[in-house]
Structure formats: structure tokens, C-alpha cells
Amino acid sequence: MNQEKSLLNQLERILPLVEKPGRYVGGEYNSVVKNWDEVSTKIALVFPDIYDIGLSNLGLQILYENINQRGDCLAERAYSPWQDMEDLLRKNEIPLYSLETKTPLRDFDILGFTLPYETLYTNTLNLLNLSQIPIRSEKRGKEFPLIVAGGHATYNPEPMAPFIDAFLIGEGEEILLEVIDAYKEWKKEGLSKSELLLKISSIDGVYVPSLYDPQYNSDGTFLAVKTKNKNVPKKVTKRIMGKLPYAPTRFIVPSIGVVHNRIAVEIMRGCTRGCRFCHAGMINRPIRERTVQEIIHSIETGLENTGFEEVALLSLSSSDYTNVLELVEEISNKFSGKNLTISLPSLRIDSFSVDLMEKLKGSRQGGFTLAPEAASERMRKIINKPISEEMLLTTAFEIFKRGWHTLKLYFMIGHPSETLEDVAEIAALCKKVLAVGVKAIGRRAKVHAGVSTFVPKPHTPFQWVACDQQESIRQKQNLLREELKGPGLKFNWTDPKETIMEAWLSRGDRRLAEVIETAWKNGAKFDAWQDFKNYDIWMQAFREANLDPDFYVHRERSIDEVFPWDHIYPGVKKTYLKTEYLNSLSLRLRGDCREQCYACGITQTFNHLRKEDPGIVWKCPNISQPRSKNELSIPN
Amino acid sequence: MNYRYRINYSKKEGMRYTSNLDIHKMWERTFRRAKLPLAYSQGFHPQPKIQQASPLPLGFLSDFEIVDFFLEQEMDLSSLETALTNSLPFGISINSITQINLLEPALQTHTIASEYQVVFLEEFDAIKIIESIHVLISKETVIRVRRGKSYDLRPLILDLEIILENPIYLKMLLMSKDGATGRPEEVLSELNIPMELTRIIRKKIILANEVLDNKLGL
Ligand code: SF4
């Protein structure tokens, strides 16, 4: 291709001038380069963060393999260029291109953005602009690609609504392929862009925001969305896979070092622990597991295909995987002595977890991480994460005794009802754990406390709750910094500005789009990166849009408030979330719902999938069983 | 018992932007994909036994790179080559594989010089280049500062000439010993040629045992 040639010539001159030029050239092992002229539908999968982070994104990898398996389609990739490269692209008027065939993104049929977190919103606008594509959906005719987006952040699509043609809500394996099919038909029919949007809006899980009209009360709260067309669904229910499909095995092997150089295998999806702050735990229900055989097979094939030296077994709560012991034993039989590092994150706090880790510990040893989240009994009841201190200390002792020198503990601060005493207990607990470590192995023992700040997320029981004030967060962090000084202790925290930014982006309504656009125009991008120097730009953008960030961030919602994301349905009912919110207010714990279903809505919503394939095992018990409302006590 | 092999390979395409450290990883993963019994060092953090000759700066192409590796089993060269070729990333291709005596010195300590070809991406005035080459060559010392340290570039230039073919190119023979490495971009800078307007290709690496039958007089 001539276009490709001249672009390559231009690139040859600018790449020597940028940092890590290997991020912009593709050609990685397992990347797929198809003949552009031989396929009908071309999709670019876009991850709006730098290559180093985006390359190992599992969602993108799954879609890349899925689409490229089809003879009639191709999938290529693009990531956010770092500032130095962006400057040179703009200066030389080079539009953003795909890594595989170096084709400008605007020449693709569909661009699929992955939005796992909200701080990528400005990057998304920036990428569209770098691709010489209008950022607003209404300004794009059919000569531009269809812009779709999916990922965890899109469960509240409203802040990005004016920029994205269609959101694909939920698990992407099938839905994107269905959108591609609809696109192909539409192209053959030669109809208008609005016909295309209407067509895809009938696919389950597709949300076309331009077909919905948000309405507000005079106090600024949300009133309702009105559909603009009678054929458009009132509520968009997320898509899930009844049974998890085969895991990807042809992972792209980067030719340069990136953040995660590894095979990632999802051992299960979903979580039934019911931690009230956890977005992933609420939106990824129900629990579906892969079999041990499937997982082993994926690892084996993945290793053969990539040569990677690291394997990550992913899930929200590994200890809850039914056959976790069998899995770990099988893995250590099969793969020990092969110079592999195998990680199993998200383990429960008990000595069984230490047994598991010990079996995986090959010649290369990683750290040990546990997530107590809260240190006081009261906070544990509020967030619904019951752990016993005694159990934590026993487990910590085992961890140190069996050869780990560093224990990382994750905590969360910032729930509005949290007091300084609750926070002080975090520091006290870390010190107790360190003392246990010193008893076990002496002064080599180290405790690292990673303390994040709570953001009340949509579709969680805490969606009614306010976000902590910056001053109060700082005060709590100062307390911890003071207390967690000294040998063997380390303390990491999140800048309160990052928390606040994440809060308004995740809780915003459609009016926030204007703020995002203005902030981007004034230079905000890489919002999770830039040491929060963008914060003032954002504040200015709020002023220009005549909106108050505190309205989104620090306001406690009334119990019957309508949320801008209520028409996106994750299968978990708002009434269930409400009950859980009220339970948190009365410090009531609720147990793992696998043992006792609370009828969150998942089984009703997706019963058809379960029926379709009676062989599949979800971990939800049968909902017709009578349920009791036992209060759970803290296990010892 | 380990067996030692030497690969001569080319580095092209996007792989030119893969650093030396990452090339090391690339070889390790290629061996793993090819299921070849690569030997690892003993100890707490076992490392694959792979040695590279003189590092190639980022962005350079090469027709001639050398890497030594150790296998736990002896293998015949052609099946070794087939297995590797099928597992290599786009842009890396094998020119030859030979078996090497275990006792030969490590490649890094064994490299003497590298030959580079510099192609121009834009038109340059050949006469001017010839003049500046002349000026450079006739100097006794050429003191330059790199990464805060000053050094003499002149003795590192073993040969430098312009080849007046169409298109014209430069040919450089530069010292590449441990601690005494002449860098093509430093020479270009002396000649006032911006590096980003050139394409630099390593054509050859000269090893110590080849010097005897070489008329360099090193
Ligand atoms: S349906 Fe019941 S068991 Fe399944 S996720 Fe919801 S509460 Fe848990």
C-alpha cells in the first residue's frame, strides 16, 4: 500500500526522536496482519492509555482473537501515544494509525474503545481528535467509523454519551460480533447513519445514547430518560455469557517491556462476597467458573504460543474458586521447574491461602498480598467485609514463617461515616501484623500498607453515599503517615484529587460531557498520570459549564433519587442495592450469597441463559429455595 | 553438560526499535516457544544463558548480529534452525547457526569492531560530506562529551568513507570493544548530519579471532 509506505517513511524520521519508539510500530509476535482488501469489515480496538498499560488488557485480547478468527473481519489495535509522540504526529499532520497495517483510524469501519476506568475519558476524546475524527457523535456522518465503547466504566455511560455512538454494556464476547453483523447488513443496504444506530439499538446490551433524552428536576437531580423512538428499549440490560467461552491463548507478545508481560487466565467471573463498595463485585455477577482442565489447557497452550515466563490467574476472589486446591496442585505438578512465575491474587485471609501460595511458589518468589480493607469492627460491618483480627494475625505469622518477608495489606479509607478512630485502627493493625512478622522472622519482616480512598460507585449499595471531603481524606492520610513511620513499615496512598476526579466522572450525568470536553480542550488528558496538575483545568471547566462538582461528589442521595444510570441494568436490582445500603446503615452483615441467595436479580434476569444450557454451573443456588435472613457473625 | 551455539541474525522492521535488553527477552521467549532446552544459570533467580555481542543502539537495523546461547542437549543445526525460525517474531531472521566450543571467550569481551552503513533519507550534498570527512579524519583527536563524560572519538574511527553510488552512502568501521565503542551517531554529529535523516545498518561485527586474517592491523 502506498499510503502505508509514505507513513512508514514519515515514521522513520520521527521515531528516533521519541521515548520507547517500539510502542508505535506493531509487529509483535501473535499480532495479526490481514490483507486489508480481502475482508469486508475492519475494526480497530482502541485502548485509550499508553501501550505499556493497554497491551496486556485481557478484554481487548479476547476481542482481538474473536474478531480475527472470522474470515470476513479484521481487528487491529491502537493505544494513546505519549506526549512526545503526540506532538510529532500533530506537527507532521499524521493521523493516528493502527499498529498492524498502519492505517489511519478514520479509515476503519468500527472503532471499539475499551473503557475500564473513568480517567480515560479525556484520552478518548484526544484519540478521536488525533485520528482527525469529530469528537461528537452528532458531527459524524457515515463517512466516519462507528464509534462504540465498552468496559466497566460504561455501566454509567452518561458522561460520555455525546461522544460515543453506541455503548456495549456487559461482557463483550458476543455483542461486538453482533454489532459487526448488523453493520455489514447496513452497509450492504446503503442506509443512513441514523438507520445504523436504530438497527444496533435493538441488539441486547447495546445502548445508543442519542436515542435517549435525559431530563432533570429543577434542583439538578435526575428526573428520567425518555426514549426518542418507540422501538428503543427503556432499559438496557447488560450482556453476559451463560458459560465462559474459551480463554484466549494467542496473547500478543510485546517486543518491548510493558507493565504486565504475561498470560492471564480468568479462572472465574463474578463474586458472591457482596462487599458493598465493590463495583466489580456487583456488575460481574453471577459467578461462573472454568473447569480445572480448561484452565490448565489454556495455560499450556498460552505458554506454547507466547513463551511468556509469567502466568496470572485472574478472578475477584481466588479462594472462592471451587476447586482451587486441585487447580493449584495440578499447576505445580505441571509447571514447576520451568522457570515460571505464577500469581494467584485476591486470596482470602486464612492459612489455607498460605498453603496455596506455597504450592505455587517456584524458584521465583513474589510478594504476598491480603486485603482486609477495614480495621475496625464497625467499618467491617458497614462495608460487609467480615474478617477476624485473630485470623489475620495467624495468617500473617504463617506467611512470614514460610518465607515471605514482605506482606502487603490493602485498606480503604473515606467512607463518610468513618472516624479518625477507625483510621487509627488501620495503623494499629499494621503494627500488630509487623510485630507478628518480627516474632516470626525478626527484623527482615516488612509490612506495606496500600490505602486507597473509597469512591461511591454506580450500581453498588453505596451509590447513595457521599464521597469524603478532600480535607477529611488528607487528615486521615496524615494520621496514617504519622503512625506508619518507622522500620519495616511503608504506607502508600491515593492523592485525594484523583479520588474526587474519579468520583465526578463515575457519578456524572450527561451534562458532565460538556465539562469533559472543555477540560480536554484546555489540555486535560492522562488524568490518572499527570500528578493531578489537570485538577485546576477541571475546576475551570466546571465553572464554564455552570456545574458544581460537589453536587456530583459530596452529596448524599435521597433514598428514592433517580440516578442517571438507572436505565442501564446490570441484572442486580436497585431494590436489592437499597436493602444492602440500609443494611450498611444498621451495621448488618450479610454472608456469601452462594450459601444463601438474596435474590439480587441476577437469576431472574438471566434465567433464559441458564435454561438454554442446563449443563452449566452457576454458583447461584436455586432461587425458589426459601431464604432466611440470618445475620452473620464475624467468623473466628 | 551444556552445548554452545552461535546465531548470526538480521534485525529489521519494527524490531529495530527493540532495545538490547528486550532482544534478550525476545530470544528467551523464542526458545521457550520453540521448546528448545535452553540452559539457565543456577541460583535464586535463574537466568537464561544467552550472550550478545556488542549492543546495537535503538533504531539501527542490522544484517549481522551475533548471539551465543547454551542448550542442555546437543542438537543438529538444521532442526535447531527450523525450530527457531518458526518461533521468531517478524523482523528477526537467522543468517546462520554454528556450534561453538564451550571454552571460547564470552562474546562481549571478544568483539573488536563493527561496520556500519549509513543511508540518507534526504538528499545531502556529497561534496560537503567528503570535505567534513576529510577534516575529521585528519584530526589527531576529536574530544566529545557523551553522558557527561568526555572522550576521544578519533581513535575509535578505524575507517570512514563515502561510497559514491546512487544513492550515496557512508561506510564506517568503528571500534566496538568493551569500554571503547565508537558510535555512528557521534560520527554523524561531527559530520553535521542529523541522525533522524539517516538509516543506519550494521553490516558486520568483527571478532578477535578474525583479526589475524584481517588487514586492519589492529
Ligand atoms: S442471584 Fe443470589 S446467589 Fe446469585 S449473585 Fe444474586 S444474590 Fe448471589
Side-chain angles (χ1 to χ4, degrees):
Chain A
M1 249 192 292
N2 257 341
Q3 193 179 32
E4 187 187 334
K5 263 246 131 55
S6 70
L7 176 62
L8 287 178
N9 288 341
Q10 277 178 294
L11 285 180
E12 186 168 23
R13 284 160 211 219
I14 63 174
L15 289 176
L17 308 173
V18 304
E19 210 185 310
K20 277 183 114 177
R23 303 191 270 209
Y24 310 113
V25 294
E28 306 95 330
Y29 196 80
N30 285 336
S31 59
V32 180
V33 184
K34 289 197 179 179
N35 188 329
W36 183 267
D37 301 315
E38 278 172 11
V39 299
S40 65
T41 313
K42 291 110 177 166
I43 297 101
L45 299 171
V46 189
F47 193 93
D49 205 330
I50 54 169
Y51 178 89
D52 315 48
I53 292 176
L55 187 98
S56 47
N57 182 264
L58 185 59
L60 195 144
Q61 179 70 42
I62 293 172
L63 299 175
Y64 188 75
E65 281 189 42
N66 271 358
I67 297 170
N68 279 321
Q69 263 162 20
R70 282 175 58 152
D72 60 340
C73 304
L74 61 75
E76 305 194 357
R77 292 162 300 137
Y79 306 90
S80 284
W82 192 242
Q83 188 64 56
D84 55 353
M85 183 64 171
E86 177 177 338
D87 291 343
L88 287 166
L89 289 176
R90 288 194 190 277
K91 192 172 143 216
N92 293 284
E93 290 172 13
I94 303 173
L96 192 69
Y97 57 88
S98 66
L99 294 184
E100 280 79 0
T101 57
K102 317 282 182 295
T103 307
L105 293 193
R106 55 157 196 255
D107 294 344
F108 281 79
D109 293 306
I110 302 173
L111 303 188
F113 282 85
T114 300
L115 296 174
Y117 32 93
E118 296 80 6
T119 37
L120 297 182
Y121 290 168
T122 45
N123 280 19
T124 302
L125 303 195
N126 201 41
L127 282 193
L128 287 172
N129 180 259
L130 268 172
S131 308
Q132 301 169 357
I133 295 173
I135 59 166
R136 286 201 172 241
S137 180
E138 65 201 15
K139 297 265 170 59
R140 295 190 297 260
K142 64 191 235 181
E143 69 278 20
F144 289 105
L146 175 73
I147 312 289
V148 302
H152 280 184
T154 61
Y155 278 83
N156 176 16
E158 288 307 287
M160 288 294 278
F163 314 117
I164 304 292
D165 296 325
F167 292 93
L168 315 187
I169 310 295
E171 297 171 6
E173 280 101 341
E174 294 174 335
I175 186 170
L176 184 55
L177 299 182
E178 289 168 26
V179 168
I180 292 170
D181 288 335
Y183 182 93
K184 273 177 75 180
E185 273 175 33
W186 165 79
K187 211 172 170 185
K188 247 186 240 145
E189 292 160 358
L191 299 173
S192 68
K193 167 121 183 229
S194 53
E195 300 280 353
L196 171 64
L197 294 181
L198 198 58
K199 191 180 176 86
I200 59 175
S201 75
S202 67
I203 299 173
D204 288 342
V206 173
Y207 173 59
V208 176
S210 56
L211 298 174
Y212 296 77
D213 209 4
Q215 299 175 334
Y216 303 90
N217 297 310
S218 55
D219 64 355
T221 55
F222 203 77
L223 175 63
V225 280
K226 275 242 158 72
T227 51
K228 291 187 189 165
N229 181 305
K230 62 177 179 354
N231 296 323
V232 168
K234 295 235 158 357
K235 248 185 188 209
V236 176
T237 304
K238 76 165 179 182
R239 285 290 287 273
I240 61 163
M241 303 297 291
K243 180 184 186 320
L244 294 190
Y246 270 102
T249 55
R250 303 208 70 90
F251 292 91
I252 295 169
V253 184
S255 308
I256 59 170
V258 297
V259 175
H260 292 305
N261 301 276
R262 65 186 193 191
I263 291 168
V265 185
E266 248 182 317
I267 61 175
M268 62 179 182
R269 252 179 227 175
C271 178
T272 48
R273 294 263 143 190
C275 302
R276 293 183 181 122
F277 57 84
C278 183
H279 189 236
M282 294 295 155
I283 62 172
N284 288 310
R285 293 172 178 214
I287 282 208
R288 290 140 297 158
E289 298 186 344
R290 285 203 164 93
T291 64
V292 172
Q293 289 77 3
E294 253 179 279
I295 297 168
I296 298 285
H297 176 80
S298 303
I299 299 176
E300 270 177 340
T301 335
L303 289 174
E304 271 174 33
N305 290 342
T306 62
F308 274 136
E309 46 297 289
E310 198 181 322
V311 180
L313 303 170
L314 302 184
S315 78
L316 292 170
S317 169
S318 302
S319 305
D320 291 334
Y321 177 71
T322 309
N323 299 312
V324 68
L325 184 61
E326 186 193 336
L327 174 69
V328 161
E329 280 174 346
E330 194 73 17
I331 287 176
S332 78
N333 287 341
K334 276 239 150 79
F335 304 110
S336 65
K338 295 199 171 170
N339 296 304
L340 282 174
T341 307
I342 297 174
S343 63
L344 185 68
S346 312
L347 286 168
R348 200 161 47 208
I349 301 173
D350 56 23
S351 49
F352 178 57
S353 299
V354 195
D355 295 341
L356 292 176
M357 280 294 274
E358 198 160 43
K359 287 196 200 305
L360 287 179
K361 187 167 87 179
S363 47
R364 302 181 192 196
Q365 178 181 324
F368 209 115
T369 304
L370 295 173
E373 302 294 354
S376 71
E377 285 304 303
R378 202 179 66 87
M379 284 316 298
R380 284 175 190 151
K381 286 182 180 159
I382 290 173
I383 66 172
N384 199 39
K385 186 152 189 180
I387 59 152
S388 91
E389 183 166 312
E390 204 187 316
M391 183 73 97
L392 174 62
L393 295 178
T394 328
T395 311
F397 185 76
E398 282 298 312
I399 291 170
F400 288 115
K401 204 72 218 168
R402 297 203 220 165
W404 283 272
H405 296 169
T406 304
L407 176 55
K408 271 192 209 145
L409 296 176
Y410 285 147
F411 293 97
M412 178 179 270
I413 56 166
H415 190 278
S417 71
E418 180 185 52
T419 63
L420 284 178
E421 284 77 64
D422 292 316
V423 178
E425 284 200 45
I426 293 178
L429 186 57
C430 291
K431 286 180 187 166
K432 279 185 215 164
V433 171
L434 181 66
V436 158
V438 171
K439 201 170 99 199
I441 59 165
R443 297 269 153 220
R444 282 170 303 166
K446 291 194 169 48
V447 173
H448 291 179
V451 183
S452 62
T453 309
F454 164 68
V455 174
K457 291 275 187 176
H459 304 294
T460 68
F462 286 156
Q463 59 183 347
W464 287 271
V465 165
C467 191
D468 209 356
Q469 298 285 345
Q470 283 193 52
E471 246 341 282
S472 155
I473 300 172
R474 274 207 189 90
Q475 203 183 358
K476 291 171 183 175
Q477 289 175 339
N478 287 342
L479 187 153
L480 289 171
R481 203 172 301 117
E482 238 359 88
E483 288 292 319
L484 292 173
K485 265 186 205 148
L489 289 169
K490 210 168 118 183
F491 165 54
N492 280 320
W493 65 95
T494 320
D495 190 301
K497 284 181 177 162
E498 183 183 353
T499 303
I500 302 297
M501 206 179 291
E502 200 189 318
W504 73 57
L505 288 174
S506 52
R507 297 159 69 79
D509 50 39
R510 204 175 284 200
R511 294 171 302 182
L512 202 76
E514 201 186 320
V515 180
I516 298 173
E517 185 173 348
T518 310
W520 164 71
K521 276 193 182 139
N522 294 337
K525 61 188 161 194
F526 288 112
D527 283 305
W529 278 83
Q530 309 258 1
D531 293 329
F532 317 104
K533 71 170 166 36
N534 293 347
Y535 192 77
D536 296 337
I537 299 180
W538 279 98
M539 283 307 163
Q540 176 62 29
F542 269 106
R543 278 192 294 275
E544 278 178 42
N546 229 335
L547 288 170
D548 176 13
D550 291 358
F551 171 82
Y552 294 101
V553 179
H554 297 304
R555 187 170 57 87
E556 187 182 320
R557 276 36 171 186
S558 77
I559 193 73
D560 47 12
E561 185 164 329
V562 179
F563 295 125
W565 53 84
D566 278 350
H567 57 297
I568 304 298
Y569 184 46
V572 173
K573 289 181 295 191
K574 196 173 179 184
T575 48
Y576 165 80
L577 298 175
K578 201 180 284 180
T579 314
E580 274 302 279
Y581 173 48
L582 297 174
N583 281 338
S584 91
L585 292 177
S586 49
L587 307 186
R588 192 194 308 256
L589 283 169
R590 290 240 254 186
D592 188 318
C593 65
R594 266 181 309 188
E595 274 127 45
Q596 179 192 356
C597 175
Y598 302 106
C600 71
I602 279 291
T603 32
Q604 292 101 311
T605 312
F606 296 110
N607 213 14
H608 58 286
L609 287 177
R610 219 180 190 184
K611 278 203 188 118
E612 248 168 47
D613 189 351
I616 62 175
V617 185
W618 291 6
K619 297 297 158 185
C620 304
N622 201 328
I623 43 163
S624 58
Q625 277 170 8
R627 58 201 170 91
S628 57
K629 283 189 178 165
N630 287 343
E631 187 168 333
L632 197 92
S633 59
I634 300 253
N636 288 304
Chain B
M1 175 79 178
N2 285 347
Y3 303 86
R4 182 176 179 187
Y5 297 85
R6 179 162 296 169
I7 302 182
N8 184 307
Y9 68 97
S10 305
K11 190 181 181 219
K12 299 270 170 72
E13 305 288 344
M15 288 306 291
R16 66 196 282 192
Y17 302 110
T18 295
S19 73
N20 242 53
L21 199 72
D22 292 328
I23 283 289
H24 204 81
K25 264 263 123 66
M26 180 281 292
W27 279 114
E28 183 185 355
R29 290 179 184 152
T30 301
F31 277 96
R32 282 172 171 270
R33 291 192 288 262
K35 297 196 180 148
L36 293 169
L38 189 62
Y40 280 75
S41 66
Q42 302 292 312
F44 204 61
H45 292 287
Q47 294 300 317
K49 291 196 183 175
I50 298 173
Q51 303 172 347
Q52 297 185 74
S54 159
L56 188 71
L58 206 64
F60 288 24
L61 296 158
S62 179
D63 291 337
F64 197 109
E65 291 299 292
I66 309 176
V67 63
D68 277 8
F69 60 91
F70 297 76
L71 292 186
E72 286 174 343
Q73 276 164 38
E74 194 163 14
M75 293 202 47
D76 80 90
L77 296 178
S78 75
S79 45
L80 195 55
E81 181 165 350
T82 321
L84 285 171
T85 303
N86 291 334
S87 307
L88 278 169
F90 180 64
I92 300 287
S93 53
I94 294 178
N95 304 321
S96 67
I97 306 189
T98 47
Q99 191 162 0
I100 299 286
N101 193 315
L102 279 176
L103 299 176
E104 271 205 35
L107 263 181
Q108 299 94 299
T109 63
H110 206 42
T111 335
I112 294 287
S114 293
E115 186 190 310
Y116 299 95
Q117 182 183 37
V118 180
V119 180
F120 300 102
L121 302 179
E122 271 174 22
E123 275 207 26
F124 276 89
D125 183 351
I127 308 291
K128 267 207 179 132
I129 298 178
I130 294 172
E131 277 167 11
S132 16
I133 291 181
H134 193 77
V135 173
L136 178 58
I137 294 295
S138 51
K139 284 185 185 163
E140 293 256 302
T141 56
V142 179
I143 303 298
R144 290 187 57 89
V145 178
R146 205 181 119 75
R147 295 199 177 135
K149 272 195 201 152
S150 74
Y151 75 102
D152 187 358
L153 174 66
R154 183 60 193 88
L156 304 177
I157 306 175
L158 306 174
D159 194 13
L160 176 60
E161 53 183 321
I162 187 164
I163 307 295
L164 294 168
E165 281 172 13
N166 191 18
I168 61 164
Y169 64 89
L170 292 181
K171 201 173 138 182
M172 302 179 184
L173 185 65
L174 305 179
M175 189 95 86
S176 350
K177 285 187 187 170
D178 239 6
T181 301
R183 301 176 65 97
E185 66 274 33
E186 294 275 286
V187 177
L188 288 179
S189 153
E190 281 298 317
L191 299 176
N192 287 316
I193 300 168
M195 184 182 122
E196 66 271 22
L197 300 182
T198 64
R199 179 184 302 147
I200 305 174
I201 308 144
R202 176 139 71 183
K203 301 301 271 185
K204 199 167 169 21
I205 296 175
I206 295 160
L207 298 177
N209 55 352
E210 296 165 348
V211 173
L212 290 180
D213 42 71
N214 187 303
K215 49 187 180 326
L216 291 172
L218 289 163

